[in-house]
Amino acid sequence: MNYSLKAELDNCYSFADSLDNDGYGARQKAGLKTREMLQFDVLQFLAYLSSSNQAELTLEIKFIREYLNQHFTTDRFRTFKYERTTGDFASTPPRSLTYFVQGDLARMKVNPNAVYRSRDYVRTFKLMGQEFIACNNLTDEGEIAKLTGYCLMLDKYLKSMNLYAIDPSPLLDKYNALPKNTPTANQTGSATVTAKPEPAKDVDTLLEELDSMTGLESVKKDITNLVNLLKIKKLREENGMKQPSVSLHLVFSGNPGTGKTTVARLLANIYKGLGVLSRGQLVEVDRGGLVVGYIGQTAIKTSEVIESALGGILFIDEAYTLIAGKGENDFGQEAVDTLLKAMEDHRDDFIVIVAGYPDLMEQFLSSNPGLRSRFNKFITFEDYTGDELMSIFESMCSKQEYKLDDAARDYAQNYWADKAANHDETFANAREVRNFMESAISRQATRIVSMDKIDVDTLATLTAADLME
């Protein structure tokens, strides 16, 4: 038994008791102790994750007996799973969580800085699910996908109740808040390196940062699923069990401005937090940072970049340009060959992410069997919707202490809806929002600079005229 996990569960039981004592729990409304409701909800959750394999199910039932003191035969447990976890189970927050949320909201009125016990609840579910899956002799990716989807549903519910850990802020704000990269002294061209990894944060906090970004729903699910798999792999390693094979090299496919670099930077820190990488820095590079137009020099330059990325992630943007020339005077293939050798030589502490337009990335991987075999995990970054672009714009306004009047808000809403629906391949998503914002600020300054009286409200307000190109 993991006694730390048992302590987490016991803390939730204690808070459930306090909810009943304070009049916010299930006892007064449902005639059932909140503690008992919580235990039953955990049981249903584990049944939802459980395996269909007889041998694995026996181990899972033992887990339930140890942590929940509930006894089942395999047939009875299968019946319980069928009866309790079908229909809309995976999309409905547990009843006991709704009482935890009610208690948090009531306590917030008295003390706005109170600790959110509903967050402890969700964390306990996540940890319980990971430990439950890890107790198997086999690691079922279907179980991990269920865990990921269910826990993302719990996070979404906390967001809807304003009880999430991190205030939602759009991707562009996250990107602008990060320290700018600085070229290393021995590099030229387009290679840049994050000089120091960001201050250490626990993996759950980093995942919360990812989940707070605007849009990127499929990306969030894929990354969270990968992290859950790595956590379970680590738990199995600690218990001397066989570990699932996990490919950590990734393909990020998507159009410009969809957050590929920002997510890669977060992922570097997540991998470090999980112990997968020793340093956790992100090295960003494109063709210009790897390829030199002289025989023998490309391998040297590429090796220098790889050396700076050991212990972290090498992020190659527009990776398909490495094979675009393919003439006798093009040395991109030399960079690819050097990269593939390094991925084999340093496979325990070196991860590569290649990124670019979806169709061109497919051509890149098809150009070399070695590339295809090493990059078998794709994460697709979809273009932002009109509502998401508007959300990014409004957040940028708020962060820079601007506000939109009614006409400006209507204009911007229609503008971004049209942009999302009708744009060509050069559309740069969040970068377009940044450029739009900068132009609006410039036009507002031109409009108000000659006014006789400029008050704070005038300085802060953007009108429809300021937004129109």
Side-chain angles (χ1 to χ4, degrees):
M1 176 183 287
N2 182 331
Y3 291 100
S4 295
L5 176 57
K6 187 62 168 63
E8 292 269 0
L9 184 60
D10 288 342
N11 285 337
C12 286
Y13 285 148
S14 296
F15 187 68
D17 292 340
S18 70
L19 288 174
D20 286 337
N21 293 335
D22 295 339
Y24 301 120
R27 188 171 59 188
Q28 289 81 0
K29 301 176 182 179
L32 179 70
K33 290 182 179 180
T34 308
R35 168 191 285 261
E36 295 169 350
M37 184 180 288
L38 168 60
Q39 184 185 58
F40 188 74
D41 286 336
V42 174
L43 177 60
Q44 290 183 106
F45 170 59
L46 298 183
Y48 172 67
L49 299 180
S50 64
S51 174
S52 58
N53 180 282
Q54 175 73 27
E56 309 311 317
L57 189 57
T58 300
L59 293 172
E60 292 172 344
I61 289 173
K62 178 183 177 184
F63 180 98
I64 288 170
R65 184 171 67 250
E66 289 180 343
Y67 284 90
L68 301 178
N69 196 29
Q70 297 292 312
H71 299 261
F72 286 90
T73 63
T74 54
D75 288 343
R76 182 166 166 253
F77 191 69
R78 286 196 182 99
T79 300
F80 176 84
K81 177 178 181 176
Y82 176 77
E83 292 177 347
R84 304 302 309 187
T85 67
T86 53
D88 60 355
F89 172 81
S91 60
T92 305
R95 283 195 306 163
S96 54
L97 177 57
T98 65
Y99 288 105
F100 272 62
V101 166
Q102 289 175 23
D104 277 341
L105 295 176
R107 291 164 67 244
M108 283 174 61
K109 293 179 180 179
V110 178
N111 178 13
N113 297 318
V115 175
Y116 300 158
R117 296 301 181 185
S118 49
R119 288 186 57 202
D120 295 338
Y121 180 112
V122 171
R123 184 180 67 250
T124 299
F125 266 63
K126 292 176 181 178
L127 295 173
M128 185 71 72
Q130 291 161 6
E131 194 84 25
F132 181 73
I133 293 173
C135 79
N136 284 340
N137 289 317
L138 300 174
T139 298
D140 187 335
E141 291 191 6
E143 293 179 7
I144 296 172
K146 285 183 176 181
L147 171 65
T148 298
Y150 193 86
C151 291
L152 287 175
M153 179 273 293
L154 297 181
D155 287 338
K156 185 176 180 180
Y157 175 62
L158 293 192
K159 284 183 186 178
S160 72
M161 303 305 292
N162 295 319
L163 291 171
Y164 199 62
I166 296 177
D167 294 332
S169 56
L171 176 65
L172 192 61
D173 293 331
K174 291 286 183 186
Y175 176 79
N176 288 336
L178 292 169
K180 301 305 179 185
N181 294 331
T182 306
T184 56
N186 64 345
Q187 287 180 276
T188 59
S190 302
T192 59
V193 181
T194 301
K196 294 181 180 180
E198 295 172 57
K201 299 177 183 177
D202 66 76
V203 173
D204 289 337
T205 299
L206 292 166
L207 286 174
E208 287 167 356
E209 289 189 20
L210 172 66
D211 200 31
S212 69
M213 293 177 178
T214 298
L216 303 177
E217 296 308 317
S218 64
V219 174
K220 295 170 185 175
K221 186 172 183 179
D222 285 342
I223 295 294
T224 304
N225 208 50
L226 178 59
V227 170
N228 280 332
L229 182 57
L230 290 170
K231 285 184 174 181
I232 290 165
K233 182 176 183 290
K234 185 176 181 181
L235 286 171
R236 292 175 62 83
E237 180 183 9
E238 291 171 351
N239 286 280
M241 302 168 69
K242 291 182 179 179
Q243 302 167 47
S245 176
V246 183
S247 175
L248 299 178
H249 304 297
L250 300 170
V251 179
F252 282 5
S253 62
N255 292 325
T258 48
K260 297 184 291 294
T261 306
T262 307
V263 172
R265 189 177 287 113
L266 265 178
L267 192 56
N269 283 278
I270 289 171
Y271 280 161
K272 181 183 179 184
L274 290 171
V276 173
L277 293 172
S278 59
R279 297 169 62 198
Q281 81 280 21
L282 182 78
V283 177
E284 305 169 37
V285 71
D286 59 14
R287 177 187 168 93
L290 298 173
V291 178
V292 182
Y294 302 98
I295 295 175
Q297 294 303 304
T298 291
I300 295 173
K301 187 172 186 179
T302 301
S303 296
E304 289 175 351
V305 173
I306 290 169
E307 184 69 27
S308 70
L310 295 182
I313 290 179
L314 177 60
F315 180 85
I316 306 175
D317 199 14
E318 298 183 343
Y320 45 80
T321 60
L322 293 175
I323 53 95
K326 279 223 162 178
E328 62 178 81
N329 294 322
D330 184 80
F331 302 101
Q333 187 60 49
E334 188 177 348
V336 172
D337 293 341
T338 304
L339 180 66
L340 289 174
K341 184 177 185 303
M343 291 169 69
E344 177 62 27
D345 292 345
H346 305 286
R347 58 183 178 272
D348 294 332
D349 199 21
F350 176 57
I351 292 171
V352 178
I353 298 176
V354 291
Y357 292 102
D359 292 345
L360 294 173
M361 290 306 298
E362 183 62 33
Q363 294 177 24
F364 171 66
L365 296 177
S366 299
S367 70
N368 186 313
L371 288 170
R372 176 67 69 183
S373 65
R374 285 172 174 82
F375 295 99
N376 56 19
K377 176 66 175 174
F378 282 72
I379 295 182
T380 302
F381 289 69
E382 301 289 349
D383 288 337
Y384 290 111
T385 66
D387 287 343
E388 289 167 352
L389 291 168
M390 182 63 186
S391 176
I392 292 172
F393 178 56
E394 287 185 306
S395 182
M396 288 184 63
C397 289
S398 176
K399 293 290 172 102
Q400 298 185 51
E401 297 186 359
Y402 286 94
K403 61 182 180 180
L404 303 172
D405 66 18
D406 291 342
R409 180 169 286 101
D410 289 342
Y411 176 84
Q413 191 79 53
N414 292 329
Y415 178 88
W416 292 120
D418 180 68
K419 278 289 186 181
N422 306 289
H423 62 73
D424 59 23
E425 62 183 14
T426 65
F427 183 69
N429 288 278
R431 296 176 196 168
E432 298 275 349
V433 181
R434 180 181 59 195
N435 294 338
F436 183 83
M437 180 71 184
E438 291 173 352
S439 296
I441 291 172
S442 178
R443 282 190 287 268
Q444 187 236 34
T446 300
R447 175 175 60 83
I448 69 174
V449 69
S450 59
M451 290 182 175
D452 293 333
K453 183 179 180 181
I454 303 176
D455 57 20
V456 172
D457 190 63
T458 301
L459 287 169
T461 301
L462 294 175
T463 68
D466 298 328
L467 307 186
M468 295 180 184
E469 297 182 11

